[in-house]
Amino acid sequence: KIAMEKIICLYRQCSAMKTYISLSGFDSSQIVSLIVKYGIEGGDCIVLIRPIEEKDPRGEQTVQAIRDLSRQIDSSIDLKIYRVNHQDFEGMVYSLKDLIEKAEGEIIVNLSGGPREIFLPFTIASIACSNKISRATNYSDIDRRLNEFVLPNISAEIEEKQRQILLDIMNNQPTNIGDIAQRLSISESTISRQVGRLVELRALCIVPKGKTKEISITLTGKLLI
């Protein structure tokens, strides 16, 4: 058990406003892990997603544990409980998508814990808003660790030339602007411009390596192909 004083000491950090959006089940350690990993301070917001009908007191106990923790760290931390109707799948998707779109600051979503009926709609809503989400995490039931991953941007649309570039990179990664231009017989300026657009769509990632930059395709890029 982590001492409360240690958590409070570690996470009074100066940073941009954060909004944590997480499913909330019977285990508060998942949400505490988010705070431990990314920090929290006054003015930040925690949104816990819960069903409209609470039939198990353990759910409220988890909420109360997070409420007590946030108040001890800083009384200006905003804790909100977002209620959804677990029997209305379509309504949950739209409602949770609206929640994410209206959230402010750096948005961190936790795709684990909570009722299974809510998990899938929340995941769909998060993928639909992937361009707005800064970080996505899940808490492993196997090794009890919080993992971060990149949500795919499946709502993006690409042109045929961009698709050709993605295919070339997928078959030759890691690669660079010059090599792509040579293989596709397209000018480097055009490749550079298109690669920049694909990076904005999260279809590609660029990693500096010495004097060059290595380009690789992401899960988003593979799905767009």
Side-chain angles (χ1 to χ4, degrees):
K1 182 179 179 181
I2 303 176
M4 188 71 67
E5 292 81 5
K6 186 176 180 181
I7 297 178
I8 296 171
C9 178
L10 284 173
Y11 302 104
R12 290 185 182 273
Q13 302 174 351
C14 293
S15 59
M17 176 191 173
K18 301 184 189 72
T19 296
Y20 293 97
I21 305 177
S22 177
L23 295 168
S24 177
F26 304 146
D27 184 2
S28 64
S29 63
Q30 297 194 20
I31 302 155
V32 172
S33 294
L34 284 173
I35 296 172
V36 170
K37 187 175 182 68
Y38 302 113
I40 195 166
E41 63 175 354
D44 288 348
C45 180
I46 303 172
V47 182
L48 302 181
I49 303 169
R50 296 293 304 157
I52 291 176
E53 298 180 9
E54 289 280 8
K55 296 185 178 181
D56 193 317
R58 290 178 297 173
E60 182 53 37
Q61 290 169 6
T62 298
V63 171
Q64 188 60 47
I66 301 304
R67 181 179 288 113
D68 292 341
L69 174 60
S70 63
R71 286 175 177 171
Q72 292 188 55
I73 295 174
D74 194 304
S75 60
S76 67
I77 294 172
D78 187 13
L79 176 64
K80 299 178 180 178
I81 311 303
Y82 193 81
R83 302 283 181 180
V84 294
N85 182 357
H86 70 280
Q87 296 179 332
D88 181 3
F89 181 86
E90 184 175 318
M92 281 192 290
V93 172
Y94 277 105
S95 176
L96 292 167
K97 181 175 180 289
D98 186 62
L99 168 67
I100 296 169
E101 288 177 338
K102 291 181 178 177
E104 299 178 348
E106 178 185 1
I107 301 171
I108 302 170
V109 300
N110 178 41
L111 299 172
S112 55
R116 279 176 283 186
E117 296 94 332
I118 304 175
F119 171 79
L120 182 56
F122 183 43
T123 301
I124 294 172
S126 296
I127 293 174
C129 299
S130 63
N131 61 327
K132 175 137 191 187
I133 294 170
S134 302
R135 302 175 188 274
T137 66
N138 70 347
Y139 193 80
S140 173
D141 292 330
I142 299 174
D143 55 19
R144 307 295 290 175
R145 295 179 60 184
L146 187 73
N147 303 303
E148 183 177 324
F149 57 94
V150 178
L151 288 169
N153 181 13
I154 60 173
S155 62
E157 295 183 2
I158 58 173
E159 303 169 355
E160 180 57 31
K161 184 176 293 184
Q162 293 171 333
R163 183 174 182 276
Q164 292 175 3
I165 292 172
L166 288 175
L167 280 168
D168 177 81
I169 294 172
M170 184 171 65
N171 293 327
N172 298 282
Q173 64 182 342
T175 186
N176 57 64
I177 296 292
D179 289 346
I180 300 170
Q182 186 175 13
R183 286 191 296 267
L184 297 180
S185 299
I186 301 174
S187 69
E188 289 192 18
S189 61
T190 298
I191 295 296
S192 180
R193 184 171 60 255
Q194 295 292 349
V195 165
R197 292 173 180 170
L198 290 167
V199 169
E200 291 177 357
L201 295 176
R202 300 186 184 182
L204 295 175
C205 64
I206 299 179
V207 178
K209 190 169 184 180
K211 296 182 179 180
T212 62
K213 294 181 179 179
E214 290 189 341
I215 306 169
S216 299
I217 195 167
T218 65
L219 175 59
T220 293
K222 293 176 182 177
L223 291 173
L224 291 177
I225 291 175

